[in-house]
Amino acid sequence: MAELHVTSPSNPRLRGVIALRRRRIREQQGLTVVDGYEELSLALDAGVVPHSVLHCPELMLAPSRQGGLVQRARDLGVTTIRLSRPAFERVAYREGPDGFLAVVPVAGVGLDDLELPADPLVLVCEGVEKPGNLGAVLRTADAAGVSAVVAADPATDWGNPNVVRSSKGTVFSVPVASATTEEVLGWLRRNGIRLGWLRRNGIRLLATTPGAETVHTAVDYRGAVALAVGTEKEGLSPRALEASERRVRIPMVGRVNSLNAATAAAVVVYEAVRQRSG
């Protein structure tokens, strides 16, 4: 397959890529963009097959080495398009692009399609608004070996280019799903996290909230656990708190009374990792 060359920033081929900046278009087409060499490398490592890869050697930091990523995509049968610098800067999502951009399927599956191990560590993020926070949560989840991240009543989508970028591409390496809070709770029940008999099934749903009496280090995270975090401003919804078996707080001695979702998730997840690995 011959590689395409585009030099004009107004080329019609670029309009469809630019349109993916809008959530409505992403949801209609099930596509998003990955902007950056590292992010695209991780996506390919995770098994993602792009619809197309756009590249600009003029913008690459190390063309002789990084150019291999383009060939790697071509070996998968992916259409590659070489752009001039003005054309690439027109289509790039972020400032200071490094010469790599790909159109890929949006990450995420249905709740019932998530495959969990016997003793999963699941992270439920309710109402998270900022793509940067959701991306940071994913980086923590990837590093800590979290089984899945579920967005409940999310204000952003997994395909948001800022989620992809801030996650450094880990949105493709961590199993993710999104649904309403009620749907998530129903899914938890179907997977054995049933309200009222959590302990009998060995699966516990733990909620982080500043008003809890129990410090997050004082509970047992071993076995099958689901951790729920909310937004910095609103926290978890009353429905999510009601559904939890235990509520925990992160000790704070300063003037602020809460951490953002990404920081809170990291603190509690790594306490879980410490216990589960020991």
Side-chain angles (χ1 to χ4, degrees):
M1 181 187 301
E3 183 172 69
L4 301 175
H5 290 253
V6 172
T7 59
S8 172
S10 59
N11 188 289
R13 289 184 178 274
L14 305 183
R15 295 174 188 165
V17 180
I18 295 171
L20 293 174
R21 297 176 184 179
R22 300 197 297 273
R23 182 173 182 173
R24 177 176 60 84
I25 302 300
R26 294 194 297 271
E27 292 178 343
Q28 286 177 352
Q29 299 186 12
L31 298 173
T32 187
V33 295
V34 176
D35 195 342
Y37 173 80
E38 291 185 6
E39 291 82 351
L40 178 55
S41 295
L42 195 149
L44 293 179
D45 289 344
V48 174
V49 178
H51 282 225
S52 60
V53 170
L54 290 69
H55 64 101
C56 176
E58 294 178 68
L59 291 169
M60 294 181 189
L61 299 177
S64 60
R65 175 176 59 85
Q66 294 178 329
L69 190 63
V70 177
Q71 186 58 49
R72 184 178 172 190
R74 289 178 63 81
D75 291 343
L76 294 172
V78 176
T79 298
T80 61
I81 306 174
R82 179 169 177 164
L83 303 183
S84 66
R85 181 167 184 159
F88 194 95
E89 290 177 339
R90 173 75 176 88
V91 77
Y93 187 80
R94 64 183 182 185
E95 295 183 5
D98 64 6
F100 289 90
L101 186 143
V103 176
V104 303
V106 171
V109 298
L111 287 172
D112 289 328
D113 293 323
L114 285 172
E115 297 183 3
L116 302 180
D119 290 325
L121 177 60
V122 177
L123 187 55
V124 177
C125 302
E126 186 184 41
V128 177
E129 299 176 352
K130 297 180 180 179
N133 266 342
L134 199 53
V137 165
L138 286 165
R139 293 180 68 174
T140 295
D142 178 80
V146 168
S147 306
V149 176
V150 178
D153 287 337
T156 189
D157 61 302
W158 294 119
N160 187 305
N162 282 327
V163 172
V164 177
R165 182 178 62 179
S166 59
S167 77
K168 300 296 289 186
T170 55
V171 66
F172 302 108
S173 64
V174 177
V176 297
S178 60
T180 66
T181 294
E182 284 299 326
E183 288 170 339
V184 172
L185 294 177
W187 171 74
L188 293 176
R189 287 193 294 270
R190 292 194 299 275
N191 281 274
I193 307 178
R194 189 177 183 105
L195 309 182
W197 44 277
L198 301 174
R199 187 174 300 281
R200 188 173 69 194
N201 286 269
I203 301 176
R204 291 160 295 142
L205 177 59
L206 307 179
T208 60
T209 177
E213 295 183 0
T214 305
V215 176
H216 76 288
T217 54
V219 297
D220 187 350
Y221 296 91
R222 290 170 296 182
V225 174
L227 306 175
V229 298
T231 64
E232 180 178 359
K233 182 179 180 181
E234 302 293 339
L236 289 166
S237 68
R239 185 71 184 95
L241 291 172
E242 175 189 347
S244 64
E245 183 199 63
R246 295 286 299 274
R247 303 178 189 183
V248 299
R249 64 178 174 86
I250 299 170
M252 302 186 67
V253 297
R255 295 182 181 275
V256 296
N257 63 357
S258 63
L259 300 171
N260 67 35
T263 303
V267 170
V268 180
V269 163
Y270 270 97
E271 172 59 21
V273 169
R274 184 187 69 82
Q275 293 187 18
R276 294 163 72 94
S277 63

